[in-house]
Amino acid sequence: MNNAAIGFFDSGWGGLSIMKAARVVLPHEDFVYVADCGHAPYGDRSHEYIVERSRAITDFLIHEQGVKAIVIACNTATAEAANKLRSLYPNFPIIGVEPAIKPAVENSRTNVVGMISTTRTATSVRYQELLARWGGNAQVISAGCPGLMECVERGELMAESTIKLLHHYLDPMIAAGIDGLVLGCTHYPFLSEAIDSITDGKIRLYEPGMAVARHLQNRLSDIDALTTKKTSAEEIFFVSDLNDERQKIAQALMPGITEFRALP
Ligand code: DGL
C-alpha cells in the first residue's frame, strides 16, 4: 500500500500545475496522471457529464492502477463531483482543488480581488459556499472564462490571441482595482507569464498547488501511507484521445515526461 502510486486527474494538462507542486513536496512518490483530453473542456459540460467522467476515471485509478490516493487536479471536477466520489469511496483519500479565495482576501489591501475559472466553477454551489466562508467583506469579482483552458491545451501560452482573450477577462477587474487574482482553474498557472505581461506583475496571483500538495502529504502521513522508497519516482500519463500533438504539448508544459499511454 505505501508504495502504491498517487492518482491525479484533470480534463487535460492543467492538473500538471498541481502535480508539479506534489513532485516538490513528495519527491519519492510515484504518480499516475489521467488527462481526459478527449472529453474536455469540463467547464462547458453538464454536472452529470462531469460526475460521470470523474467516476469512470476514479474507478480506473483505484481498480486498475491500484492507487493509494487521488487528487482531483481540477477545480471544475472538484466543484461538481468531489462529494459524489467521496460518497462512493468513503474511506479512500480523495483530495480536491479549490480557488484560493482565503489568502487572496486576507492579503488584499484594496479589498478587491479577482477570480478566474471555468464558467461551471464560477457558478457552482461549492464556489458560492467558499465565497460565503472566506470572502469576508471583500469585493470578489468572479469570471467564468470560456476559451482560456484551450489556449493552454494548444500550447499557446504567450500567443497574441491568448493575450487578447486574457485582456477581455482581466481588463474590467484591473479597472475595478483588484490587487490579487485567484487562478481558479488548474490550467491557468501556465498563463502566469501572459497575465503578468498584462498587469506588469503588479497583481499577485494565487494558485493552490503547494497547499494541495501539503494537504496530500498530511493525509498520507495521517494514515501512514507515505512511501518508504528512496529511489526516484515513476510517472505514467494516461490520455483519452492520445495523439502526438497532445504528447508534445504535455512535454512542453512539463519537460522530461515520456511515459504516455492511451486511456482504455
Ligand atoms: N483544469 C480544469 C479546472 O481546474 C478545467 C478545465 C476545463 O476542462 O474546462 O477547472
mmCIF file of all heavy atoms in Angstrom, residues 159-199:
data_model
loop_
_atom_site.group_PDB
_atom_site.id
_atom_site.type_symbol
_atom_site.label_atom_id
_atom_site.label_comp_id
_atom_site.label_asym_id
_atom_site.label_seq_id
_atom_site.Cartn_x
_atom_site.Cartn_y
_atom_site.Cartn_z
ATOM 1 N N ALA A 159 0.656 33.475 -26.968
ATOM 2 C CA ALA A 159 0.188 33.881 -28.308
ATOM 3 C C ALA A 159 -0.634 35.162 -28.222
ATOM 4 O O ALA A 159 -1.244 35.458 -27.185
ATOM 5 C CB ALA A 159 -0.666 32.772 -28.917
ATOM 6 N N GLU A 160 -0.645 35.891 -29.325
ATOM 7 C CA GLU A 160 -1.396 37.155 -29.373
ATOM 8 C C GLU A 160 -2.873 36.931 -29.043
ATOM 9 O O GLU A 160 -3.494 37.702 -28.304
ATOM 10 C CB GLU A 160 -1.269 37.727 -30.784
ATOM 11 C CG GLU A 160 -1.309 39.231 -30.838
ATOM 12 C CD GLU A 160 -1.055 39.704 -32.248
ATOM 13 O OE1 GLU A 160 0.038 39.422 -32.802
ATOM 14 O OE2 GLU A 160 -1.985 40.317 -32.805
ATOM 15 N N SER A 161 -3.425 35.826 -29.573
ATOM 16 C CA SER A 161 -4.851 35.546 -29.333
ATOM 17 C C SER A 161 -5.108 35.242 -27.856
ATOM 18 O O SER A 161 -6.160 35.596 -27.310
ATOM 19 C CB SER A 161 -5.296 34.371 -30.210
ATOM 20 O OG SER A 161 -4.403 33.301 -30.050
ATOM 21 N N THR A 162 -4.134 34.624 -27.201
ATOM 22 C CA THR A 162 -4.279 34.321 -25.764
ATOM 23 C C THR A 162 -4.267 35.620 -24.954
ATOM 24 O O THR A 162 -5.100 35.824 -24.068
ATOM 25 C CB THR A 162 -3.128 33.392 -25.296
ATOM 26 O OG1 THR A 162 -3.155 32.221 -26.108
ATOM 27 C CG2 THR A 162 -3.264 33.017 -23.834
ATOM 28 N N ILE A 163 -3.320 36.498 -25.293
ATOM 29 C CA ILE A 163 -3.210 37.780 -24.573
ATOM 30 C C ILE A 163 -4.499 38.582 -24.768
ATOM 31 O O ILE A 163 -5.024 39.189 -23.832
ATOM 32 C CB ILE A 163 -2.002 38.605 -25.109
ATOM 33 C CG1 ILE A 163 -0.696 37.802 -24.985
ATOM 34 C CG2 ILE A 163 -1.909 39.966 -24.422
ATOM 35 C CD1 ILE A 163 -0.034 37.808 -23.643
ATOM 36 N N LYS A 164 -5.026 38.526 -25.986
ATOM 37 C CA LYS A 164 -6.251 39.270 -26.279
ATOM 38 C C LYS A 164 -7.416 38.754 -25.424
ATOM 39 O O LYS A 164 -8.185 39.524 -24.839
ATOM 40 C CB LYS A 164 -6.567 39.115 -27.776
ATOM 41 C CG LYS A 164 -7.507 40.145 -28.285
ATOM 42 C CD LYS A 164 -7.592 40.130 -29.802
ATOM 43 C CE LYS A 164 -8.942 40.693 -30.194
ATOM 44 N NZ LYS A 164 -9.460 40.211 -31.430
ATOM 45 N N LEU A 165 -7.526 37.442 -25.347
ATOM 46 C CA LEU A 165 -8.606 36.839 -24.548
ATOM 47 C C LEU A 165 -8.432 37.172 -23.060
ATOM 48 O O LEU A 165 -9.397 37.484 -22.360
ATOM 49 C CB LEU A 165 -8.614 35.315 -24.765
ATOM 50 C CG LEU A 165 -9.821 34.549 -24.254
ATOM 51 C CD1 LEU A 165 -11.123 35.063 -24.880
ATOM 52 C CD2 LEU A 165 -9.671 33.049 -24.548
ATOM 53 N N LEU A 166 -7.190 37.147 -22.601
ATOM 54 C CA LEU A 166 -6.922 37.493 -21.195
ATOM 55 C C LEU A 166 -7.318 38.947 -20.923
ATOM 56 O O LEU A 166 -7.927 39.244 -19.888
ATOM 57 C CB LEU A 166 -5.439 37.278 -20.858
ATOM 58 C CG LEU A 166 -5.045 35.831 -20.562
ATOM 59 C CD1 LEU A 166 -3.527 35.684 -20.536
ATOM 60 C CD2 LEU A 166 -5.634 35.355 -19.233
ATOM 61 N N HIS A 167 -6.984 39.842 -21.858
ATOM 62 C CA HIS A 167 -7.390 41.247 -21.704
ATOM 63 C C HIS A 167 -8.908 41.346 -21.543
ATOM 64 O O HIS A 167 -9.411 42.072 -20.695
ATOM 65 C CB HIS A 167 -6.961 42.066 -22.926
ATOM 66 C CG HIS A 167 -5.636 42.743 -22.744
ATOM 67 N ND1 HIS A 167 -5.450 43.751 -21.828
ATOM 68 C CD2 HIS A 167 -4.437 42.553 -23.363
ATOM 69 C CE1 HIS A 167 -4.187 44.155 -21.881
ATOM 70 N NE2 HIS A 167 -3.545 43.437 -22.794
ATOM 71 N N HIS A 168 -9.601 40.592 -22.379
ATOM 72 C CA HIS A 168 -11.062 40.624 -22.352
ATOM 73 C C HIS A 168 -11.585 40.286 -20.947
ATOM 74 O O HIS A 168 -12.499 40.944 -20.441
ATOM 75 C CB HIS A 168 -11.587 39.636 -23.404
ATOM 76 C CG HIS A 168 -13.052 39.424 -23.353
ATOM 77 N ND1 HIS A 168 -13.952 40.392 -23.738
ATOM 78 C CD2 HIS A 168 -13.801 38.367 -22.926
ATOM 79 C CE1 HIS A 168 -15.186 39.940 -23.565
ATOM 80 N NE2 HIS A 168 -15.122 38.717 -23.071
ATOM 81 N N TYR A 169 -10.992 39.285 -20.317
ATOM 82 C CA TYR A 169 -11.471 38.889 -18.987
ATOM 83 C C TYR A 169 -10.888 39.749 -17.861
ATOM 84 O O TYR A 169 -11.558 39.992 -16.851
ATOM 85 C CB TYR A 169 -11.127 37.414 -18.721
ATOM 86 C CG TYR A 169 -11.877 36.452 -19.618
ATOM 87 C CD1 TYR A 169 -11.205 35.492 -20.378
ATOM 88 C CD2 TYR A 169 -13.272 36.503 -19.703
ATOM 89 C CE1 TYR A 169 -11.905 34.614 -21.196
ATOM 90 C CE2 TYR A 169 -13.979 35.637 -20.527
ATOM 91 C CZ TYR A 169 -13.288 34.688 -21.270
ATOM 92 O OH TYR A 169 -13.974 33.831 -22.078
ATOM 93 N N LEU A 170 -9.646 40.190 -18.017
ATOM 94 C CA LEU A 170 -8.973 40.853 -16.890
ATOM 95 C C LEU A 170 -9.146 42.373 -16.856
ATOM 96 O O LEU A 170 -9.129 42.967 -15.773
ATOM 97 C CB LEU A 170 -7.468 40.522 -16.905
ATOM 98 C CG LEU A 170 -7.114 39.047 -16.726
ATOM 99 C CD1 LEU A 170 -5.597 38.871 -16.729
ATOM 100 C CD2 LEU A 170 -7.697 38.495 -15.433
ATOM 101 N N ASP A 171 -9.301 42.991 -18.005
ATOM 102 C CA ASP A 171 -9.350 44.468 -18.010
ATOM 103 C C ASP A 171 -10.409 45.042 -17.061
ATOM 104 O O ASP A 171 -10.112 45.971 -16.298
ATOM 105 C CB ASP A 171 -9.534 45.006 -19.442
ATOM 106 C CG ASP A 171 -8.254 44.848 -20.263
ATOM 107 O OD1 ASP A 171 -7.233 44.414 -19.686
ATOM 108 O OD2 ASP A 171 -8.279 45.136 -21.480
ATOM 109 N N PRO A 172 -11.640 44.482 -17.061
ATOM 110 C CA PRO A 172 -12.639 45.037 -16.122
ATOM 111 C C PRO A 172 -12.225 44.844 -14.661
ATOM 112 O O PRO A 172 -12.512 45.701 -13.815
ATOM 113 C CB PRO A 172 -13.909 44.232 -16.426
ATOM 114 C CG PRO A 172 -13.680 43.593 -17.748
ATOM 115 C CD PRO A 172 -12.205 43.435 -17.923
ATOM 116 N N MET A 173 -11.545 43.764 -14.366
ATOM 117 C CA MET A 173 -11.110 43.518 -12.975
ATOM 118 C C MET A 173 -10.006 44.500 -12.586
ATOM 119 O O MET A 173 -9.998 45.036 -11.476
ATOM 120 C CB MET A 173 -10.568 42.092 -12.831
ATOM 121 C CG MET A 173 -11.579 41.009 -13.093
ATOM 122 S SD MET A 173 -10.868 39.415 -12.681
ATOM 123 C CE MET A 173 -12.238 38.350 -13.102
ATOM 124 N N ILE A 174 -9.093 44.725 -13.527
ATOM 125 C CA ILE A 174 -7.988 45.653 -13.253
ATOM 126 C C ILE A 174 -8.574 47.057 -13.039
ATOM 127 O O ILE A 174 -8.196 47.765 -12.103
ATOM 128 C CB ILE A 174 -6.962 45.628 -14.417
ATOM 129 C CG1 ILE A 174 -6.305 44.242 -14.489
ATOM 130 C CG2 ILE A 174 -5.900 46.722 -14.229
ATOM 131 C CD1 ILE A 174 -5.503 43.978 -15.749
ATOM 132 N N ALA A 175 -9.541 47.417 -13.885
ATOM 133 C CA ALA A 175 -10.185 48.741 -13.753
ATOM 134 C C ALA A 175 -10.888 48.861 -12.402
ATOM 135 O O ALA A 175 -10.982 49.947 -11.834
ATOM 136 C CB ALA A 175 -11.168 48.955 -14.898
ATOM 137 N N ALA A 176 -11.370 47.748 -11.867
ATOM 138 C CA ALA A 176 -12.089 47.783 -10.573
ATOM 139 C C ALA A 176 -11.132 47.815 -9.380
ATOM 140 O O ALA A 176 -11.573 47.918 -8.238
ATOM 141 C CB ALA A 176 -13.023 46.591 -10.469
ATOM 142 N N GLY A 177 -9.821 47.678 -9.661
ATOM 143 C CA GLY A 177 -8.837 47.846 -8.580
ATOM 144 C C GLY A 177 -8.404 46.568 -7.871
ATOM 145 O O GLY A 177 -7.941 46.628 -6.732
ATOM 146 N N ILE A 178 -8.512 45.418 -8.533
ATOM 147 C CA ILE A 178 -8.046 44.192 -7.859
ATOM 148 C C ILE A 178 -6.533 44.272 -7.585
ATOM 149 O O ILE A 178 -5.782 44.829 -8.387
ATOM 150 C CB ILE A 178 -8.350 42.906 -8.678
ATOM 151 C CG1 ILE A 178 -7.640 42.919 -10.050
ATOM 152 C CG2 ILE A 178 -9.838 42.683 -8.842
ATOM 153 C CD1 ILE A 178 -7.581 41.562 -10.719
ATOM 154 N N ASP A 179 -6.127 43.718 -6.447
ATOM 155 C CA ASP A 179 -4.680 43.605 -6.202
ATOM 156 C C ASP A 179 -4.275 42.134 -6.051
ATOM 157 O O ASP A 179 -3.129 41.811 -5.757
ATOM 158 C CB ASP A 179 -4.237 44.438 -4.995
ATOM 159 C CG ASP A 179 -4.866 43.976 -3.695
ATOM 160 O OD1 ASP A 179 -5.742 43.084 -3.718
ATOM 161 O OD2 ASP A 179 -4.479 44.516 -2.636
ATOM 162 N N GLY A 180 -5.239 41.243 -6.230
ATOM 163 C CA GLY A 180 -4.947 39.812 -6.208
ATOM 164 C C GLY A 180 -5.840 39.119 -7.221
ATOM 165 O O GLY A 180 -6.981 39.558 -7.444
ATOM 166 N N LEU A 181 -5.311 38.094 -7.864
ATOM 167 C CA LEU A 181 -6.100 37.344 -8.846
ATOM 168 C C LEU A 181 -5.987 35.859 -8.522
ATOM 169 O O LEU A 181 -4.887 35.289 -8.535
ATOM 170 C CB LEU A 181 -5.596 37.619 -10.269
ATOM 171 C CG LEU A 181 -6.342 36.881 -11.385
ATOM 172 C CD1 LEU A 181 -7.804 37.365 -11.496
ATOM 173 C CD2 LEU A 181 -5.631 37.067 -12.728
ATOM 174 N N VAL A 182 -7.121 35.263 -8.219
ATOM 175 C CA VAL A 182 -7.155 33.838 -7.888
ATOM 176 C C VAL A 182 -7.279 33.041 -9.183
ATOM 177 O O VAL A 182 -8.202 33.270 -9.969
ATOM 178 C CB VAL A 182 -8.359 33.540 -6.956
ATOM 179 C CG1 VAL A 182 -8.446 32.045 -6.660
ATOM 180 C CG2 VAL A 182 -8.252 34.347 -5.674
ATOM 181 N N LEU A 183 -6.343 32.131 -9.385
ATOM 182 C CA LEU A 183 -6.394 31.291 -10.579
ATOM 183 C C LEU A 183 -7.225 30.063 -10.221
ATOM 184 O O LEU A 183 -6.730 29.094 -9.646
ATOM 185 C CB LEU A 183 -4.971 30.916 -11.023
ATOM 186 C CG LEU A 183 -4.024 32.113 -11.235
ATOM 187 C CD1 LEU A 183 -2.647 31.647 -11.715
ATOM 188 C CD2 LEU A 183 -4.608 33.130 -12.218
ATOM 189 N N GLY A 184 -8.513 30.122 -10.575
ATOM 190 C CA GLY A 184 -9.463 29.095 -10.135
ATOM 191 C C GLY A 184 -9.637 27.967 -11.126
ATOM 192 O O GLY A 184 -10.671 27.288 -11.122
ATOM 193 N N CYS A 185 -8.656 27.774 -11.970
ATOM 194 C CA CYS A 185 -8.638 26.636 -12.906
ATOM 195 C C CYS A 185 -7.194 26.194 -12.966
ATOM 196 O O CYS A 185 -6.287 27.043 -13.073
ATOM 197 C CB CYS A 185 -9.138 27.064 -14.283
ATOM 198 S SG CYS A 185 -8.824 25.856 -15.594
ATOM 199 N N THR A 186 -6.970 24.889 -12.893
ATOM 200 C CA THR A 186 -5.586 24.415 -12.799
ATOM 201 C C THR A 186 -4.782 24.643 -14.085
ATOM 202 O O THR A 186 -3.558 24.534 -14.082
ATOM 203 C CB THR A 186 -5.552 22.920 -12.415
ATOM 204 O OG1 THR A 186 -6.351 22.176 -13.345
ATOM 205 C CG2 THR A 186 -6.083 22.724 -11.003
ATOM 206 N N HIS A 187 -5.471 24.982 -15.161
ATOM 207 C CA HIS A 187 -4.738 25.321 -16.389
ATOM 208 C C HIS A 187 -4.050 26.693 -16.297
ATOM 209 O O HIS A 187 -3.056 26.945 -16.964
ATOM 210 C CB HIS A 187 -5.687 25.360 -17.594
ATOM 211 C CG HIS A 187 -6.037 24.011 -18.138
ATOM 212 N ND1 HIS A 187 -6.914 23.157 -17.506
ATOM 213 C CD2 HIS A 187 -5.620 23.365 -19.255
ATOM 214 C CE1 HIS A 187 -7.035 22.048 -18.220
ATOM 215 N NE2 HIS A 187 -6.258 22.147 -19.292
ATOM 216 N N TYR A 188 -4.635 27.595 -15.506
ATOM 217 C CA TYR A 188 -4.226 28.992 -15.586
ATOM 218 C C TYR A 188 -2.823 29.314 -15.061
ATOM 219 O O TYR A 188 -2.224 30.297 -15.537
ATOM 220 C CB TYR A 188 -5.271 29.898 -14.931
ATOM 221 C CG TYR A 188 -6.664 29.816 -15.543
ATOM 222 C CD1 TYR A 188 -7.762 30.383 -14.897
ATOM 223 C CD2 TYR A 188 -6.903 29.175 -16.753
ATOM 224 C CE1 TYR A 188 -9.044 30.306 -15.441
ATOM 225 C CE2 TYR A 188 -8.185 29.088 -17.295
ATOM 226 C CZ TYR A 188 -9.248 29.649 -16.625
ATOM 227 O OH TYR A 188 -10.514 29.567 -17.152
ATOM 228 N N PRO A 189 -2.272 28.568 -14.099
ATOM 229 C CA PRO A 189 -0.888 28.872 -13.715
ATOM 230 C C PRO A 189 0.070 28.847 -14.917
ATOM 231 O O PRO A 189 1.081 29.546 -14.919
ATOM 232 C CB PRO A 189 -0.552 27.763 -12.705
ATOM 233 C CG PRO A 189 -1.873 27.460 -12.065
ATOM 234 C CD PRO A 189 -2.866 27.555 -13.193
ATOM 235 N N PHE A 190 -0.279 28.087 -15.953
ATOM 236 C CA PHE A 190 0.568 28.073 -17.151
ATOM 237 C C PHE A 190 0.449 29.380 -17.952
ATOM 238 O O PHE A 190 1.213 29.610 -18.881
ATOM 239 C CB PHE A 190 0.225 26.869 -18.035
ATOM 240 C CG PHE A 190 0.633 25.563 -17.410
ATOM 241 C CD1 PHE A 190 -0.318 24.672 -16.919
ATOM 242 C CD2 PHE A 190 1.970 25.230 -17.277
ATOM 243 C CE1 PHE A 190 0.059 23.488 -16.315
ATOM 244 C CE2 PHE A 190 2.364 24.040 -16.675
ATOM 245 C CZ PHE A 190 1.395 23.170 -16.190
ATOM 246 N N LEU A 191 -0.517 30.212 -17.568
ATOM 247 C CA LEU A 191 -0.680 31.519 -18.233
ATOM 248 C C LEU A 191 -0.144 32.654 -17.369
ATOM 249 O O LEU A 191 -0.364 33.835 -17.683
ATOM 250 C CB LEU A 191 -2.167 31.761 -18.555
ATOM 251 C CG LEU A 191 -2.805 30.740 -19.511
ATOM 252 C CD1 LEU A 191 -4.307 30.973 -19.618
ATOM 253 C CD2 LEU A 191 -2.153 30.806 -20.893
ATOM 254 N N SER A 192 0.559 32.319 -16.282
ATOM 255 C CA SER A 192 1.029 33.349 -15.344
ATOM 256 C C SER A 192 1.885 34.404 -16.038
ATOM 257 O O SER A 192 1.758 35.601 -15.778
ATOM 258 C CB SER A 192 1.844 32.715 -14.212
ATOM 259 O OG SER A 192 1.003 31.899 -13.450
ATOM 260 N N GLU A 193 2.764 33.964 -16.919
ATOM 261 C CA GLU A 193 3.649 34.916 -17.593
ATOM 262 C C GLU A 193 2.824 35.871 -18.472
ATOM 263 O O GLU A 193 3.069 37.086 -18.492
ATOM 264 C CB GLU A 193 4.666 34.146 -18.438
ATOM 265 C CG GLU A 193 5.848 34.982 -18.841
ATOM 266 C CD GLU A 193 6.803 34.204 -19.768
ATOM 267 O OE1 GLU A 193 6.823 32.949 -19.705
ATOM 268 O OE2 GLU A 193 7.491 34.861 -20.551
ATOM 269 N N ALA A 194 1.850 35.301 -19.162
ATOM 270 C CA ALA A 194 0.986 36.136 -20.015
ATOM 271 C C ALA A 194 0.192 37.113 -19.152
ATOM 272 O O ALA A 194 0.054 38.296 -19.507
ATOM 273 C CB ALA A 194 0.046 35.244 -20.824
ATOM 274 N N ILE A 195 -0.303 36.653 -18.014
ATOM 275 C CA ILE A 195 -1.087 37.533 -17.125
ATOM 276 C C ILE A 195 -0.180 38.643 -16.586
ATOM 277 O O ILE A 195 -0.542 39.822 -16.591
ATOM 278 C CB ILE A 195 -1.726 36.717 -15.977
ATOM 279 C CG1 ILE A 195 -2.758 35.731 -16.532
ATOM 280 C CG2 ILE A 195 -2.374 37.648 -14.937
ATOM 281 C CD1 ILE A 195 -3.293 34.715 -15.529
ATOM 282 N N ASP A 196 1.027 38.259 -16.146
ATOM 283 C CA ASP A 196 1.971 39.263 -15.628
ATOM 284 C C ASP A 196 2.304 40.311 -16.688
ATOM 285 O O ASP A 196 2.536 41.473 -16.369
ATOM 286 C CB ASP A 196 3.265 38.591 -15.154
ATOM 287 C CG ASP A 196 3.084 37.917 -13.796
ATOM 288 O OD1 ASP A 196 2.083 38.222 -13.108
ATOM 289 O OD2 ASP A 196 3.926 37.086 -13.425
ATOM 290 N N SER A 197 2.334 39.886 -17.956
ATOM 291 C CA SER A 197 2.665 40.851 -19.015
ATOM 292 C C SER A 197 1.549 41.886 -19.160
ATOM 293 O O SER A 197 1.778 42.999 -19.603
ATOM 294 C CB SER A 197 2.939 40.134 -20.346
ATOM 295 O OG SER A 197 1.723 39.752 -20.955
ATOM 296 N N ILE A 198 0.350 41.516 -18.765
ATOM 297 C CA ILE A 198 -0.788 42.448 -18.841
ATOM 298 C C ILE A 198 -0.833 43.352 -17.608
ATOM 299 O O ILE A 198 -1.176 44.530 -17.692
ATOM 300 C CB ILE A 198 -2.110 41.646 -18.977
ATOM 301 C CG1 ILE A 198 -2.163 40.993 -20.362
ATOM 302 C CG2 ILE A 198 -3.334 42.521 -18.723
ATOM 303 C CD1 ILE A 198 -3.320 40.028 -20.542
ATOM 304 N N THR A 199 -0.480 42.790 -16.457
ATOM 305 C CA THR A 199 -0.608 43.551 -15.197
ATOM 306 C C THR A 199 0.722 44.170 -14.771
ATOM 307 O O THR A 199 0.806 44.727 -13.676
ATOM 308 C CB THR A 199 -1.077 42.625 -14.071
ATOM 309 O OG1 THR A 199 -0.052 41.636 -13.843
ATOM 310 C CG2 THR A 199 -2.386 41.920 -14.403
#
